[in-house]
Structure formats: C-alpha cells, structure tokens
Amino acid sequence: MTEYRHSAAAIRALVRDDAVHRDVYLNPELFDLEMQRLWRSAWTYVGHDSQVPNVGDFYTVEIARQPLLMLRGSDGAVRVLLNRCAHKGAKIVGAPSGNCGKLLRCSYHGWIYALDGSLRTVPLKSGYAGTRFSESESARGLTPAVDVAVYRGFVFVRLSREGVSFEQYFGDSLSSIDNLADRSPVGRLEVAGPPLRFMHNSNWKMFVENLNDTMHPMVAHESSAGTARDLWRAQPPDAPKPMVVEQFLPFVSNYEFFDKMGVKTYDNGHSYTGVNFSIHSNYSVIPEYAAQMEAAYGAERARAILGESRHNTVYYPNLTVKGAIQTIRVVRPVAVDRTLIESFTLRLVGAPPALLERSATYNRLINAPTSVVGHDDLYCYRAIQEGLAADGNEWVSLQRNYSDREKEAGLAGIHNGTSEVSMRGQFRAWVAGMATGETARTGGLGESSGVRGACE
C-alpha cells in the first residue's frame, strides 16, 4: 500500500494547526518517506571534529539509511563521505571509529583511496584497458556528502541536493552551540569518550517532542526524582547537596516553575526551553572555573555566558544540546517504532576537572540505560506507541496555548514554558520536509571524494 508516497495532500492532511494524526508515529510507509525526504533535505548532526583529531582518524554513523564516514584528511580538513567502495559497494570502514593511517583499502578487492576519497590504486588495472572505466562513477573514488558544514566543531551534513543553506536552516538557534562552546575558557569542546546508547521502543518524534515538553516532569518523574526529593526532606535546609541530589531535585519542580522557564521557538523546527532559567540554574559554583572565565572573557562577558542555563535546545531533527551541563543527545531512527539515542559528555577544554565530573555524572544519572530518570520517559514513550493503536480517536492534541494568531504571525518567538508551540513548530517542519518534492528527494550523492574495510 502506498497511501502517502504519491500524495502530498495526504501527508499534509496528517497535520492540523493544533493536532497530528496518529499515523505520523505508526505508519511504516511514512517512516520510509521520512528517511528519504525529511532526513535527507534537513541538516543533520554527524559528529564532533574532536572525535577525529588526527590525520586518518574516522568515525562512522548512519543517517537516513546512508552509511557515512567522518574523516580527518591529510590536509587537516574534516570530510563526510559515503561509506561505500566505488567498486562493488562494500563498506570501506567497518569499525565505529579508529585510524586509517595514510590510505583507505577496501577489504573485498583491495581498491585503495587517498584520505580525500580519490581513487589511488586498482589491483591489476590493465583489466580495465579499452573499457569505459575512466569515465565511470567508480573512477571518481569515494562519494562525498552533498553538503557539509562545521560549526564550532559540530559537523552537520545535508544529503540531498534540495534544501536551504546551513545558515538559513539554523539561523539564530546556533546561539545555543555558541554558548556551549564559549563555556570553555578557550572556546573549544572535546567529546569525552564513547556515548551512552539507549534503545527506545518508540517512534523517534516522541523523544524529540519530549525534550521541550515541560508538562510531564512532575508527573512522569515522581517515582524517581520525587523519591530523591522525599528522602532529602529530612536534611537541614542549609545542608550541602550531593551532586546527584542537586541534579535530581529540579525534575520535580512545579508547573509554575516550568511555565516561567519559557520556551523560544525558531523556524525549521528548532527550539529551546529555559529562556529565563532552567533546572540547571542553581548548580553550586566552582570558584576556580568562575575565575578562569573572568580571566578569559572579562567579568561582564563571563557573567553573560554562565548566566545562560538553557534546558534542551532541539536542532531538528536529530540533535539536542544541554549547554549548561555540557551534554548532547543524538537521535538515530531505526524503525517506525525503534529509536537509538546516543548521549555524549563534552569536555570544556581548559576548564577544571570538576566540570567534566559534573557533566559525566549527569549523563549517567539521566541518560544511561542504567539511568533512574530515563526509564520514566521510556515507559511513557512505549505506552504512547502501544496506546495509539486504540481506535475511536485518531488524533493527538497539540492544543496547549494554541492561538489562531500563529497562522498569521508564525511560531518563532518566546512563549510560556508549558506551551506545546515547539511541537507545533516541529510538525510544520515535518510537513515542509515530507510533502514537497515527492519525486525529487532521491539525492544523497555528490561529486567524488572518501573510506575502508582495512586501513593502511
């Protein structure tokens, strides 16, 4: 059945101004179309350049069902190449990360590529004499992603030839990445170790929507953070809080707290909560770090940088940034009802070790498969995925704080924190990526460029 593939009108009908049809979470055909259209025309996060610090270092991911390779070239540049040998199509690199040395060698027939992806050697090349090989796609080497942008170390890719520029797509929302990087006294970040990986038995959009949903914490996390709150009540008011307690307790703040936090929305589905303050605002001060920041930026600029405590910034569709605690989460859709979430801890280069300890503790406490808080959300996502099968009401409400003015004025701007405006913005971006160019979004390939199954 191809109910949606050839009908932009059918896709648009799934999204009302204040509600979405359950098919956006349940329909396998729509998931396939998301991978072909939305995820290829959007700018998606690949990795951080600190993950490939040296010449020949590589990091592999899959985005929109395309195997990709982020690689540091001999010229020091970071490239994103399709992870496919130009000959028979074998993955050039099989490992998640590593170093290829100076060349890339296919493990099947031994074709060898330079680190920019250009073809260097074909075994027994005389066998191609008199053929059209030199004019073929295979002779061009490894294929580069259509468009790549590196911003403050964050590497993004657009796989389709169709789509807006990096600057147009993200606009002022990049201020969250700026704030995160500026928290380093030298303005640089490093990924600190491998990610925590957590498989979710639910559609990828549920996780992305939940990031700016502030009506659920005091309900969903009552069993975890609420228990920590109850245990801490016996302590004197001035008792110093252990780090885990300090990080736990804000999750069960009241509705007023989350509403006054505020949410800022941008075009193309991006948004962040914590305009005025957030659950990260009242962490204990680290005097050594504050002094370093003042020395690096001056007192006024340092206060401005550290005064930002944004909760979750959503870079639609696959990246979320928590600048105040230096963690990021990456969305990796697997199937219509399966999503892998990768959570990375970042190191502020030049900052005291206590900052990294705090970030790593938070990441394990909230985002690990062994997390206490994370399983609250996971239960809810699975309950939604299963509950949407129920007949009688095929629509999901996104009506909180909706106004007809949104039709004319748009969604971009600052709103109260418990509004569902960020979700409405995400689905506007979803429709834009899904319902246009039905026959055009089959791109993903550019001109030649490269990496390996065996590295030399």
Side-chain angles (χ1 to χ4, degrees), residues 159-175:
L159 294 173
S160 173
R161 295 185 181 92
E162 307 262 333
V164 301
S165 70
F166 177 82
E167 293 77 12
Q168 287 176 296
Y169 188 73
F170 288 114
D172 292 339
S173 73
L174 292 170
S175 60

Side-chain angles (χ1 to χ4, degrees), residues 184-201:
S184 158
V186 297
R188 288 192 294 113
L189 302 165
E190 292 177 348
V191 171
L196 302 169
R197 290 187 170 93
F198 200 168
M199 186 65 75
H200 291 44
N201 294 322

Side-chain angles (χ1 to χ4, degrees), residues 40-56:
R40 294 195 188 192
S41 62
W43 283 90
T44 52
Y45 175 73
V46 178
H48 194 270
D49 67 1
S50 66
Q51 294 172 279
V52 289
N54 304 308
V55 171

Side-chain angles (χ1 to χ4, degrees), residues 153-437:
F154 289 76
V155 181
F156 293 86
V157 66
R158 194 187 70 210
L159 294 173
S160 173
R161 295 185 181 92
E162 307 262 333
V164 301
S165 70
F166 177 82
E167 293 77 12
Q168 287 176 296
Y169 188 73
F170 288 114
D172 292 339
S173 73
L174 292 170
S175 60
S176 288
I177 290 179
D178 288 331
N179 180 260
L180 171 56
D182 288 345
R183 285 173 176 269
S184 158
V186 297
R188 288 192 294 113
L189 302 165
E190 292 177 348
V191 171
L196 302 169
R197 290 187 170 93
F198 200 168
M199 186 65 75
H200 291 44
N201 294 322
S202 55
N203 187 270
W204 65 271
K205 293 184 289 298
M206 293 178 188
F207 175 84
V208 177
E209 290 172 46
N210 187 70
L211 294 168
N212 286 170
D213 181 298
T214 57
M215 287 298 294
H216 82 277
M218 67 293 297
V219 180
H221 301 307
E222 177 68 22
S223 62
S224 55
T227 299
R229 175 197 58 200
D230 294 342
L231 291 172
W232 188 252
R233 278 178 177 153
Q235 299 296 319
D238 58 346
K241 292 184 180 69
M243 187 181 296
V244 292
V245 174
E246 187 177 65
Q247 294 174 343
F248 242 148
L249 296 187
F251 276 83
V252 281
S253 299
N254 58 29
Y255 290 117
E256 182 182 15
F257 174 91
F258 283 107
D259 197 54
K260 289 184 176 179
M261 267 182 26
V263 59
K264 185 167 185 178
T265 55
Y266 300 90
D267 293 333
N268 301 315
H270 317 307
S271 58
Y272 75 84
T273 43
V275 175
N276 303 308
F277 52 82
S278 78
I279 65 171
H280 309 297
S281 293
N282 294 320
Y283 290 161
S284 54
V285 175
I286 300 173
E288 179 187 356
Y289 174 56
Q292 283 184 324
M293 291 293 286
E294 285 198 20
Y297 293 101
E300 184 177 353
R301 175 68 179 137
R303 279 195 301 271
I305 294 170
L306 300 181
E308 288 280 354
S309 58
R310 301 179 185 185
H311 185 184
N312 283 314
T313 297
V314 173
Y315 288 110
Y316 194 75
N318 81 324
L319 174 66
T320 176
V321 168
K322 293 178 80 73
I325 197 64
Q326 297 90 60
T327 61
I328 62 173
R329 285 176 285 183
V330 185
V331 180
R332 306 286 188 202
V334 178
V336 68
D337 57 357
R338 284 176 64 80
T339 306
L340 178 66
I341 303 299
E342 296 182 328
S343 302
F344 294 83
T345 300
L346 302 181
R347 177 188 293 108
L348 299 174
V349 177
L355 269 294
L356 179 58
E357 179 187 359
R358 185 163 71 184
S359 299
T361 298
Y362 181 89
N363 208 13
R364 291 193 298 268
L365 183 69
I366 308 302
N367 300 321
T370 53
S371 159
V372 181
V373 172
H375 285 277
D376 296 336
D377 294 318
L378 196 67
Y379 172 83
C380 294
Y381 303 151
R382 187 172 65 249
I384 298 169
Q385 194 73 36
E386 294 173 358
L388 285 176
D391 292 329
N393 176 11
E394 297 183 350
W395 292 89
V396 175
S397 170
L398 299 178
Q399 293 163 327
R400 178 170 289 278
N401 297 115
Y402 172 76
S403 167
D404 286 337
R405 290 192 302 273
E406 289 182 2
K407 292 182 181 179
E408 299 176 3
L411 304 180
I414 295 175
H415 310 265
N416 61 301
T418 59
S419 173
E420 291 175 329
V421 63
S422 62
M423 301 165 207
R424 295 192 289 270
Q426 288 169 20
F427 277 103
R428 285 196 180 189
W430 186 87
V431 168
M434 290 285 286
T436 58

